[in-house]
Amino acid sequence: MVVVRWKSLLQPGWLALTLVVFGFAVTCYTVLAPWQFERHEDRKAQNDAVSTSFTEQPRPLGEVLPDGRPPGPDTEWRRVVVEGTYLPEHEVVARLRTVQGQPAFEVLTPLRTTSGRIVLIDRGYLRPDNGDVPPYAAPPGGTVRVEARVRGDETDPQHRDAFADASTQGKLHAYTIDSRTVSRASGLDISPGYLVLTEGQPGVLGALPLPTLEAGPYFSYALQWVAFGSMAIIGWAYFTVRELKPGGALSEERQGAPRRKSVAEMLAEDDAAEEAAREAERAERAADEGSAEGAPRGKTSESTVGGGQSHTDASRS
């Protein structure tokens, strides 16, 4: 019968390993997996909103977003109709954008509606010309009626304002599409959020493509993090039981026994044994060579002695 002594689990090394394993598992369960589940839900909500916008008829902006109400999950991507006048003198270019995997600029132009409300219109994208904004058409003058999709403001973590310098040819540039940034730069009272023009609308440049309706890998990523956390705990339990058995590193029978050698120590001992064997082989080879060199000298002396004896015998004769 296996006697398990749980007090052996209080060894410092095993406590440290336990802390690391359970810390990793808790992080998987409470941070990493929920993060991926949340991304999956966000993508699903976006896909549902885009799909719904294909079948719904455009509605007046005032019905979808009453004055002062920011876009939310229930209004994002909804199609709206706006009537008003463009304000190109307050135009801002959004830089460092990516459209269909390629760098782009997006042109943001405020529009004053017939009711007096000011909204920000994303007129579409432009491809850079040697890194600069290429020439593009100004928005039409006078009153226009446009159809667009509702989008929420982006947020710049660094809270950078729009700027203009020699690198922008004196035109205002911004790092995000944010009605608040354009409002500060222009001094206009712009409603929260912005509107993206659809294909064929007055003032549109390169119409922005809609996002692909794919769920993405987020749900599978979340399940993977759950699996990683579970495998860490299962592995810890397996090795704990194995090491608590007689002869294991945590059993009391092994407390006074010599420590088991690590793989590195065993490899070092093997290298030392091989080196000692090579040294012995070299010493034996050297001894053999010395014996070989001494053998001819003995034979020469023998011949000399034999020759001397022959000469003496000849004299006597």
Side-chain angles (χ1 to χ4, degrees), residues 182-235:
V182 180
S183 181
R184 289 194 299 268
S186 63
L188 300 174
D189 184 16
I190 302 177
S191 297
Y194 64 99
L195 306 177
V196 180
L197 290 184
T198 58
E199 186 73 41
Q201 297 303 306
V204 70
L205 299 171
L208 291 166
L210 291 172
T212 56
L213 301 180
E214 297 178 355
Y218 309 118
F219 188 78
S220 62
Y221 288 167
L223 295 181
Q224 287 175 13
W225 284 120
V226 172
F228 291 156
S230 301
M231 286 189 294
I233 294 177
I234 293 171

Side-chain angles (χ1 to χ4, degrees), residues 45-46 49-50 52-53 56 59-66 69-80 117 148-153 192-195:
Q46 174 183 288
V50 173
T52 302
S53 71
E56 284 187 345
R59 297 171 55 192
L61 177 63
E63 295 181 11
V64 178
L65 289 177
R69 177 186 172 187
D74 58 330
T75 55
E76 188 106 21
W77 298 104
R78 297 278 295 275
R79 289 192 297 167
V80 296
R117 179 181 179 180
R149 280 186 166 85
V150 176
R151 296 300 312 275
D153 283 323
Y194 64 99
L195 306 177

Side-chain angles (χ1 to χ4, degrees), residues 11 20 27 33 110 140-141 176 189 211 213 220 231 244 258 275 278 293 296:
Q11 295 182 29
V20 170
T27 302
T176 55
D189 184 16
L213 301 180
S220 62
M231 286 189 294
L244 281 171
E275 183 64 26
R278 286 194 292 268
E293 291 176 359

